[in-house]
Amino acid sequence: MLKQILSKLPRKSSKLDSEESTRSNSSRSLDSPRANGRSHRTHSSGGSVSKRASSSAVFPASMVSGIEPLVPFKDVPSAEKLNLFVSKLSLCCVTFDFTDPGKNIADKDVKRKTLVELVDFVACGSMKFSEPAILAMCRMCAINLFRVFPPNYRANGGGGENDDDEPMFDPAWPHMQLVYELLLKFISSLSLDAKVAKKYIDHSFISRLLELFDSEDPRERDCLKAILHRIYGKFMVHRPYIRKSINNIFYQFVFETEKHNGIAELLEIFGSVICGFALPLKEEHKMFLWRVLIPLHKPKSIGVYFQQLSYCVTQFIDKEPKLATIVMRGLLKYWPATNSQKEVMFLGEVEEILEVINMVEFQRIMVPLFWRIGCCINSLHFQVAERALFLWNNDHIVNLIAHNRQVILPIIFPSLDRNVQSHWNPAVINLTHNIRKMFLEMDEKLFISCHNHYKEEEAVLSLAAEKRKDAWKQLEHAASLRPVIGNTAVLVS
């Protein structure tokens, strides 16, 4: 009986033995991070064994300097708290199979409570984190978070034709959420020395984090977004690598797969990054605009991340107004002439750009831009036509047009007149009448001149159409007079 009681007491071991035990157990967890059913004993719910005893049967002997990992932080002296911190992190390296809710219930609860303890300890920021503590934290996060998504998991990613499909959530999310919260507080903590931590939060660690952005769970992507943003702010040495790695994800998305779940979150991170760019902008940043942000308008799934993309583009133009010409030419290059939903979004972005553009840059792109707007005004899709006509509700855009009416009205007038004559939608016709009236009040002489010129062009086109029709009639008549010989084709009228 005495032997049984003594066997349940915490075993005190030397520091060297405990570290070797931690490393061996961590390596076993790394080799099989999600397959714990084979390596740990299952406990029956009706057993009378205490929680600590049941936990010791599942969790590895991860004591550091003789400290039992289940001891609360308040019960150890300050000098031993970091050792207990490392010990608890080693305990959390044990992973469970969450696909079976009834399996290892008590042990999962022990791990959850331990993670909550760790979050509270890091949030207090009572002491500076040592190098072993940083290493233990990175190892624990790697074991619990880093994983490869199965092919069927990411098959429908990217927000394409399967937007209505339910996203797939990881059943281990309740524990993963605590790990993400712990990592965020750890990186944000003033007790973390970036010069020491950069050896462990390195390029490999960041690459694995970026791979997780393809998760279908929006909650996980939000956590990753916050963590990566903190890493970018704290570790200046890693900033070029982070930008380059995100660029590679964008390149692969645009030019290869068009499937990725985290484009919106990555663009949101870049939105705040662009705000911090120093002036004048580096050539690297301008190339990012032209080679990454502009081609991101091409994929069909742009609706998923359009708001974040438009914000990034606008930030560039706010930083350097001369870039407005480059952006507008890029939009015209990728203009979705056969996709009405994308056309409406493009017209919205055009309005945002025109609100911040200066007169000089506007004059450089107004001819091709208003030729495209004229095509949109004549669109048979009433939402496209309405969105194009709504540009005249913006006072700044009307002011730009008024100062350049001698160039713009001759381009836009034929589209306005065709809408009045033949568009099927009453709302579009009413908007077109209002814009015609606006131009008439703006410059009556120019309006009449454009009207007369348009009528002359219509007459010329009508005459050419009549001549073409007469020519075809003569050909048909000549063909009908020729005798049918052999296999000669016969014109049937």
Side-chain angles (χ1 to χ4, degrees):
M1 184 66 179
L2 182 60
K3 289 182 179 179
Q4 291 178 357
I5 294 173
L6 291 173
S7 65
K8 293 179 181 179
L9 293 175
R11 177 176 58 86
K12 291 191 176 183
S13 60
S14 66
K15 185 174 182 180
L16 182 61
D17 292 340
S18 65
E19 287 179 352
E20 290 177 355
S21 175
T22 302
R23 283 196 295 269
S24 65
N25 285 296
S26 299
S27 63
R28 285 199 295 272
S29 299
L30 276 168
D31 292 337
S32 55
R34 298 273 182 220
N36 300 281
R38 299 190 300 271
S39 59
H40 304 304
R41 294 200 298 269
T42 306
H43 305 278
S44 60
S45 58
S48 60
V49 184
S50 67
K51 183 180 289 185
R52 178 170 298 190
S54 66
S55 298
S56 64
V58 173
F59 293 110
S62 55
M63 294 184 293
V64 177
S65 298
I67 298 178
E68 166 64 41
L70 297 182
V71 175
F73 281 103
K74 63 181 180 180
D75 293 346
V76 298
S78 298
E80 297 293 335
K81 283 187 177 180
L82 270 184
N83 289 334
L84 178 59
F85 178 72
V86 175
S87 183
K88 287 181 180 290
L89 286 172
S90 299
L91 182 145
C92 291
C93 288
V94 179
T95 56
F96 298 98
D97 181 11
F98 283 86
T99 56
D100 184 0
K103 193 174 182 181
N104 302 113
I105 297 175
D107 304 314
K108 292 174 183 175
D109 189 57
V110 170
K111 180 177 177 181
R112 182 189 63 80
K113 290 179 179 178
T114 305
L115 286 169
V116 172
E117 274 190 273
L118 289 168
V119 170
D120 294 339
F121 176 76
V122 172
C124 291
S126 55
M127 56 185 62
K128 209 168 189 65
F129 294 113
S130 62
E131 196 164 336
I134 298 170
L135 173 61
M137 171 63 75
C138 292
R139 186 195 307 125
M140 189 277 292
C141 291
I143 292 171
N144 284 276
L145 300 178
F146 297 162
R147 62 207 188 279
V148 177
F149 301 122
N152 61 332
Y153 184 93
R154 50 164 74 202
N156 295 331
E161 298 175 354
N162 300 298
D163 281 342
D164 296 333
D165 291 351
E166 288 293 328
M168 296 179 65
F169 297 132
D170 195 315
W173 173 249
H175 279 207
M176 289 168 57
Q177 183 180 18
L178 289 170
V179 177
Y180 276 122
E181 185 179 355
L182 175 60
L183 179 58
L184 177 61
K185 290 187 180 296
F186 182 75
I187 293 172
S188 305
S189 175
L190 297 176
S191 302
L192 179 65
D193 186 355
K195 293 181 180 179
V196 178
K198 70 180 180 181
K199 292 191 291 185
Y200 304 101
I201 302 176
D202 56 3
H203 290 180
S204 176
F205 188 88
I206 293 169
S207 295
R208 298 298 299 277
L209 273 181
L210 287 171
E211 289 173 7
L212 296 176
F213 273 92
D214 203 14
S215 168
E216 286 193 7
D217 193 337
R219 300 168 299 180
E220 183 171 12
R221 298 199 301 270
D222 282 340
C223 292
L224 288 163
K225 177 181 66 179
I227 290 169
L228 187 63
H229 192 271
R230 297 287 184 178
I231 291 175
Y232 189 91
K234 190 154 195 168
F235 298 90
M236 295 185 66
V237 67
H238 292 329
R239 289 183 180 182
Y241 179 78
I242 293 174
R243 291 198 300 267
K244 182 179 178 181
S245 298
I246 295 178
N247 286 358
N248 290 336
I249 293 175
F250 289 147
Y251 289 142
Q252 187 177 25
F253 172 71
V254 173
F255 300 110
E256 294 180 18
T257 64
E258 289 198 9
K259 290 181 181 180
H260 196 283
N261 293 303
I263 299 299
E265 287 78 12
L266 292 172
L267 283 171
E268 196 167 336
I269 293 171
F270 249 108
S272 57
V273 170
I274 294 168
C275 290
F277 284 166
L279 294 176
L281 291 175
K282 296 180 181 178
E283 195 64 27
E284 170 202 349
H285 302 151
K286 294 180 183 179
M287 295 304 292
F288 169 74
L289 171 66
W290 179 248
R291 291 184 176 178
V292 177
L293 294 184
I294 299 300
L296 274 171
H297 290 80
K298 179 183 175 183
K300 294 179 182 178
S301 57
I302 185 176
V304 177
Y305 56 84
F306 174 74
Q307 184 178 355
Q308 293 84 354
L309 176 60
S310 180
Y311 176 77
C312 289
V313 170
T314 307
Q315 288 298 309
F316 266 106
I317 296 174
D318 284 340
K319 289 277 184 182
E320 195 165 316
K322 290 182 179 180
L323 296 174
T325 306
I326 295 174
V327 171
M328 202 65 79
R329 285 173 180 165
L331 289 178
L332 294 173
K333 176 183 178 181
Y334 291 107
W335 196 273
T338 59
N339 188 325
S340 300
Q341 291 181 341
K342 284 182 68 175
E343 272 196 296
V344 172
M345 288 188 281
F346 272 50
L347 287 167
E349 187 170 1
V350 165
E351 181 172 5
E352 289 184 9
I353 295 170
L354 291 179
E355 283 180 347
V356 297
I357 200 171
N358 59 43
M359 188 65 71
V360 176
E361 298 302 318
F362 176 76
Q363 289 173 346
R364 290 180 179 176
I365 48 90
M366 62 183 178
V367 173
L369 173 61
F370 277 88
W371 180 87
R372 175 52 65 185
I373 291 174
C375 295
C376 293
I377 289 173
N378 287 145
S379 174
L380 293 178
H381 196 293
F382 78 97
Q383 289 180 337
V384 176
E386 271 188 340
R387 190 65 189 85
L389 293 167
F390 281 155
L391 293 173
W392 274 263
N393 290 342
N394 189 302
D395 292 337
H396 180 68
I397 296 175
V398 170
N399 183 53
L400 292 172
I401 293 172
H403 281 85
N404 298 277
R405 59 184 180 273
Q406 298 289 342
V407 177
I408 294 173
L409 185 55
I411 297 172
I412 217 75
F413 189 89
S415 301
L416 297 174
D417 200 79
R418 279 193 289 270
N419 264 15
V420 171
Q421 298 297 327
S422 59
H423 205 281
W424 64 273
N425 188 274
V428 172
I429 293 174
N430 289 335
L431 287 170
T432 305
H433 276 299
N434 293 338
I435 294 173
R436 281 170 57 92
K437 184 179 178 181
M438 187 186 299
F439 275 117
L440 182 61
E441 293 173 352
M442 195 181 295
D443 194 331
E444 183 177 356
K445 184 178 179 181
L446 177 62
F447 185 89
I448 295 173
S449 173
C450 290
H451 183 269
N452 293 335
H453 182 70
Y454 173 70
K455 291 299 180 184
E456 291 173 2
E457 286 187 343
E458 284 291 300
V460 171
L461 292 174
S462 178
L463 181 61
E466 285 296 327
K467 288 182 178 179
R468 196 160 48 247
K469 189 177 180 180
D470 290 341
W472 277 109
K473 284 182 178 180
Q474 291 176 11
L475 285 172
E476 290 175 6
H477 180 68
S480 64
L481 296 177
R482 295 188 63 179
V484 179
I485 302 173
N487 295 324
T488 306
V490 180
L491 180 65
V492 181
S493 59

